[in-house]
Structure formats: C-alpha cells, structure tokens
Amino acid sequence: MERLETIKNSIVENFSTTGVNILKALLVLLVGWIAIKLILKVLKKALKLAKIDNLSEKLNDIEIIEGKKLNINLPKVVLTFIKWMLLLMLIIVVSEMMGLTIISEEIGNLISYLPQLLSAATIFVIGLFIANFVKKSIQTFFKSFELSGSKIISQLVFFILLAVISITALNQAGINTDIITSNLNLIF
C-alpha cells in the first residue's frame, strides 16, 4: 500500500512539474507572438521609409517573355521571411524549455541554412537585373544601327544569362547542379 502511495505521489509531482512547464511554454509563446507582431509592424513601416517598393516596381518591370512581367511584392516577401525566421526561433526557445532538444537542434539547422538561401535569392535577383540590362542594351544597340532581329537576339542572350545565373544561385543554395551543367556543356 505504501508503494502505491509513493507511485501516486510521483505521478502527481510529475504532472504538476509538466503542467507548470507547459504553462510557462504557453506564456512564452504568447509573449513571443505578440513581440513578433510588434516587430513586423515596425519593420513594415521601416520598409516603407526605405522605399523598397521602388525596387519591387523595378523588379516587376522585367519582361521574361514579351508581355509577361514578374509580379513580386518585395516588402511582403521580406516580411514573410523575417516572420517565419522569428517564429522558428520562438519554437526553438519553447522546445528548449520543454526539454525537446532534438526539435530545437533540427530547427536550428534549418535556420542556419536560411542565410545561404537568402544569398542565393539575392544572387538571382541581381543577376536578373543584369540580364535585363544586357537585354535592353542589345535591343538599343540593334535599333540604333537600324538592324533587325533585336528582340530575338536580346531574348536569346537574356535566357542564356538567366540559365547561368539560375545555376549559380542553385549552387549557392547548396543544390547539386552537376546534371544541369553537364547537359549545358553538351549543348554549348
């Protein structure tokens, strides 16, 4: 009977400790969620002041194929990226509080990959601007000498540059592009 009483006390103590830890974790989640909302509001105003919309408009002016333009809302992309990064960090904190180290380690690995992904996206966007600049320069050059075929040649050069830039960005993201590069080497 005494052993049964000891087991009962142990279970009650474990439940109370676990319950307190769960309440602490929920409190941290609530405070963290509110803090993330406030940070995102401040960041949204800062992005408006930095006039990132102008960069978004320039990016959306790029024609991939004649008449088809990009439709990217850069402030929304930046805010969503930061929101998810902050949420992942909050999940790491809460999982550490709960003693779930495997979850926090794996999410930490994901977060450590995000700068690599962000640099790959930056390479792609800058490369897209360069490819578009080269395309418009070729069109202007051909038109200044009154030569025909400016759209075809400039579009071909644009797509070749876009392929090279895409492969570079994928390599930066850590994606194996050996098959793509070997196929392009066969073609060219």
mmCIF file of all heavy atoms in Angstrom, residues 64-83:
data_model
loop_
_atom_site.group_PDB
_atom_site.id
_atom_site.type_symbol
_atom_site.label_atom_id
_atom_site.label_comp_id
_atom_site.label_asym_id
_atom_site.label_seq_id
_atom_site.Cartn_x
_atom_site.Cartn_y
_atom_site.Cartn_z
ATOM 1 N N ILE A 64 10.032 38.761 -68.789
ATOM 2 C CA ILE A 64 10.672 37.468 -69.028
ATOM 3 C C ILE A 64 10.421 37.068 -70.473
ATOM 4 O O ILE A 64 11.345 36.775 -71.224
ATOM 5 C CB ILE A 64 10.122 36.398 -68.064
ATOM 6 C CG1 ILE A 64 10.348 36.809 -66.616
ATOM 7 C CG2 ILE A 64 10.740 35.043 -68.345
ATOM 8 C CD1 ILE A 64 11.790 36.889 -66.199
ATOM 9 N N ILE A 65 9.193 37.034 -70.849
ATOM 10 C CA ILE A 65 8.781 36.798 -72.231
ATOM 11 C C ILE A 65 7.943 37.994 -72.610
ATOM 12 O O ILE A 65 7.288 38.591 -71.762
ATOM 13 C CB ILE A 65 7.962 35.495 -72.362
ATOM 14 C CG1 ILE A 65 8.816 34.299 -71.899
ATOM 15 C CG2 ILE A 65 7.484 35.268 -73.786
ATOM 16 C CD1 ILE A 65 8.071 33.009 -71.834
ATOM 17 N N GLU A 66 7.956 38.358 -73.852
ATOM 18 C CA GLU A 66 7.281 39.575 -74.273
ATOM 19 C C GLU A 66 5.848 39.622 -73.758
ATOM 20 O O GLU A 66 5.038 38.742 -74.020
ATOM 21 C CB GLU A 66 7.281 39.678 -75.796
ATOM 22 C CG GLU A 66 6.854 41.032 -76.285
ATOM 23 C CD GLU A 66 7.047 41.195 -77.782
ATOM 24 O OE1 GLU A 66 7.932 40.546 -78.342
ATOM 25 O OE2 GLU A 66 6.295 41.968 -78.353
ATOM 26 N N GLY A 67 5.555 40.654 -72.997
ATOM 27 C CA GLY A 67 4.222 40.848 -72.451
ATOM 28 C C GLY A 67 4.017 40.195 -71.090
ATOM 29 O O GLY A 67 3.044 40.469 -70.416
ATOM 30 N N LYS A 68 4.909 39.326 -70.663
ATOM 31 C CA LYS A 68 4.778 38.640 -69.373
ATOM 32 C C LYS A 68 5.805 39.214 -68.392
ATOM 33 O O LYS A 68 6.992 39.041 -68.563
ATOM 34 C CB LYS A 68 5.020 37.128 -69.525
ATOM 35 C CG LYS A 68 4.097 36.451 -70.484
ATOM 36 C CD LYS A 68 2.693 36.436 -69.941
ATOM 37 C CE LYS A 68 1.778 35.749 -70.946
ATOM 38 N NZ LYS A 68 0.405 35.861 -70.612
ATOM 39 N N LYS A 69 5.307 39.921 -67.396
ATOM 40 C CA LYS A 69 6.181 40.547 -66.418
ATOM 41 C C LYS A 69 6.083 39.811 -65.089
ATOM 42 O O LYS A 69 5.121 39.094 -64.825
ATOM 43 C CB LYS A 69 5.806 42.017 -66.225
ATOM 44 C CG LYS A 69 6.062 42.867 -67.437
ATOM 45 C CD LYS A 69 5.791 44.319 -67.138
ATOM 46 C CE LYS A 69 6.129 45.164 -68.354
ATOM 47 N NZ LYS A 69 5.990 46.580 -68.081
ATOM 48 N N LEU A 70 7.094 40.016 -64.267
ATOM 49 C CA LEU A 70 7.085 39.454 -62.928
ATOM 50 C C LEU A 70 6.061 40.181 -62.074
ATOM 51 O O LEU A 70 5.733 41.332 -62.325
ATOM 52 C CB LEU A 70 8.471 39.597 -62.295
ATOM 53 C CG LEU A 70 9.600 38.829 -62.938
ATOM 54 C CD1 LEU A 70 10.917 39.193 -62.284
ATOM 55 C CD2 LEU A 70 9.376 37.345 -62.842
ATOM 56 N N ASN A 71 5.573 39.516 -61.052
ATOM 57 C CA ASN A 71 4.647 40.140 -60.110
ATOM 58 C C ASN A 71 5.097 39.769 -58.698
ATOM 59 O O ASN A 71 4.567 38.852 -58.095
ATOM 60 C CB ASN A 71 3.220 39.678 -60.376
ATOM 61 C CG ASN A 71 2.223 40.454 -59.553
ATOM 62 O OD1 ASN A 71 2.542 41.502 -59.009
ATOM 63 N ND2 ASN A 71 1.024 39.931 -59.444
ATOM 64 N N ILE A 72 6.100 40.490 -58.208
ATOM 65 C CA ILE A 72 6.677 40.199 -56.899
ATOM 66 C C ILE A 72 6.462 41.394 -55.985
ATOM 67 O O ILE A 72 6.814 42.511 -56.325
ATOM 68 C CB ILE A 72 8.181 39.894 -57.023
ATOM 69 C CG1 ILE A 72 8.387 38.654 -57.875
ATOM 70 C CG2 ILE A 72 8.807 39.705 -55.657
ATOM 71 C CD1 ILE A 72 9.828 38.357 -58.177
ATOM 72 N N ASN A 73 5.878 41.132 -54.828
ATOM 73 C CA ASN A 73 5.692 42.153 -53.812
ATOM 74 C C ASN A 73 6.843 41.999 -52.817
ATOM 75 O O ASN A 73 6.769 41.220 -51.868
ATOM 76 C CB ASN A 73 4.338 41.973 -53.133
ATOM 77 C CG ASN A 73 4.021 43.090 -52.177
ATOM 78 O OD1 ASN A 73 4.852 43.953 -51.911
ATOM 79 N ND2 ASN A 73 2.807 43.076 -51.660
ATOM 80 N N LEU A 74 7.934 42.708 -53.048
ATOM 81 C CA LEU A 74 9.157 42.558 -52.271
ATOM 82 C C LEU A 74 8.975 42.824 -50.777
ATOM 83 O O LEU A 74 9.484 42.058 -49.956
ATOM 84 C CB LEU A 74 10.260 43.429 -52.864
ATOM 85 C CG LEU A 74 11.678 42.996 -52.614
ATOM 86 C CD1 LEU A 74 11.921 41.569 -53.005
ATOM 87 C CD2 LEU A 74 12.634 43.910 -53.350
ATOM 88 N N PRO A 75 8.254 43.862 -50.369
ATOM 89 C CA PRO A 75 8.056 44.051 -48.923
ATOM 90 C C PRO A 75 7.356 42.858 -48.267
ATOM 91 O O PRO A 75 7.714 42.450 -47.165
ATOM 92 C CB PRO A 75 7.192 45.308 -48.828
ATOM 93 C CG PRO A 75 7.443 46.039 -50.084
ATOM 94 C CD PRO A 75 7.709 44.995 -51.127
ATOM 95 N N LYS A 76 6.380 42.285 -48.963
ATOM 96 C CA LYS A 76 5.671 41.132 -48.418
ATOM 97 C C LYS A 76 6.601 39.927 -48.311
ATOM 98 O O LYS A 76 6.547 39.182 -47.326
ATOM 99 C CB LYS A 76 4.465 40.804 -49.293
ATOM 100 C CG LYS A 76 3.585 39.722 -48.742
ATOM 101 C CD LYS A 76 2.358 39.510 -49.584
ATOM 102 C CE LYS A 76 1.485 38.415 -49.004
ATOM 103 N NZ LYS A 76 0.307 38.172 -49.821
ATOM 104 N N VAL A 77 7.472 39.738 -49.303
ATOM 105 C CA VAL A 77 8.426 38.633 -49.268
ATOM 106 C C VAL A 77 9.386 38.792 -48.092
ATOM 107 O O VAL A 77 9.633 37.842 -47.335
ATOM 108 C CB VAL A 77 9.201 38.539 -50.605
ATOM 109 C CG1 VAL A 77 10.347 37.558 -50.515
ATOM 110 C CG2 VAL A 77 8.266 38.145 -51.738
ATOM 111 N N VAL A 78 9.905 39.993 -47.908
ATOM 112 C CA VAL A 78 10.848 40.256 -46.817
ATOM 113 C C VAL A 78 10.164 40.059 -45.464
ATOM 114 O O VAL A 78 10.710 39.403 -44.563
ATOM 115 C CB VAL A 78 11.441 41.678 -46.937
ATOM 116 C CG1 VAL A 78 12.215 42.057 -45.698
ATOM 117 C CG2 VAL A 78 12.310 41.783 -48.166
ATOM 118 N N LEU A 79 8.963 40.601 -45.307
ATOM 119 C CA LEU A 79 8.245 40.477 -44.045
ATOM 120 C C LEU A 79 7.889 39.021 -43.739
ATOM 121 O O LEU A 79 7.993 38.580 -42.587
ATOM 122 C CB LEU A 79 6.983 41.334 -44.054
ATOM 123 C CG LEU A 79 7.203 42.839 -43.954
ATOM 124 C CD1 LEU A 79 5.898 43.590 -44.157
ATOM 125 C CD2 LEU A 79 7.834 43.205 -42.624
ATOM 126 N N THR A 80 7.492 38.273 -44.749
ATOM 127 C CA THR A 80 7.159 36.863 -44.538
ATOM 128 C C THR A 80 8.400 36.068 -44.144
ATOM 129 O O THR A 80 8.351 35.222 -43.251
ATOM 130 C CB THR A 80 6.522 36.269 -45.810
ATOM 131 O OG1 THR A 80 5.366 37.037 -46.151
ATOM 132 C CG2 THR A 80 6.117 34.829 -45.595
ATOM 133 N N PHE A 81 9.522 36.350 -44.802
ATOM 134 C CA PHE A 81 10.774 35.667 -44.482
ATOM 135 C C PHE A 81 11.167 35.933 -43.027
ATOM 136 O O PHE A 81 11.479 35.006 -42.277
ATOM 137 C CB PHE A 81 11.874 36.142 -45.434
ATOM 138 C CG PHE A 81 13.209 35.503 -45.191
ATOM 139 C CD1 PHE A 81 13.468 34.239 -45.675
ATOM 140 C CD2 PHE A 81 14.199 36.169 -44.482
ATOM 141 C CE1 PHE A 81 14.695 33.638 -45.448
ATOM 142 C CE2 PHE A 81 15.423 35.581 -44.257
ATOM 143 C CZ PHE A 81 15.675 34.309 -44.745
ATOM 144 N N ILE A 82 11.116 37.187 -42.617
ATOM 145 C CA ILE A 82 11.502 37.542 -41.248
ATOM 146 C C ILE A 82 10.508 36.970 -40.240
ATOM 147 O O ILE A 82 10.899 36.486 -39.169
ATOM 148 C CB ILE A 82 11.645 39.068 -41.120
ATOM 149 C CG1 ILE A 82 12.861 39.518 -41.926
ATOM 150 C CG2 ILE A 82 11.757 39.503 -39.675
ATOM 151 C CD1 ILE A 82 13.042 40.994 -42.027
ATOM 152 N N LYS A 83 9.222 36.984 -40.590
ATOM 153 C CA LYS A 83 8.199 36.435 -39.702
ATOM 154 C C LYS A 83 8.468 34.965 -39.416
ATOM 155 O O LYS A 83 8.458 34.528 -38.266
ATOM 156 C CB LYS A 83 6.817 36.609 -40.327
ATOM 157 C CG LYS A 83 5.698 35.938 -39.584
ATOM 158 C CD LYS A 83 4.399 36.072 -40.345
ATOM 159 C CE LYS A 83 3.313 35.218 -39.782
ATOM 160 N NZ LYS A 83 2.102 35.264 -40.608
#
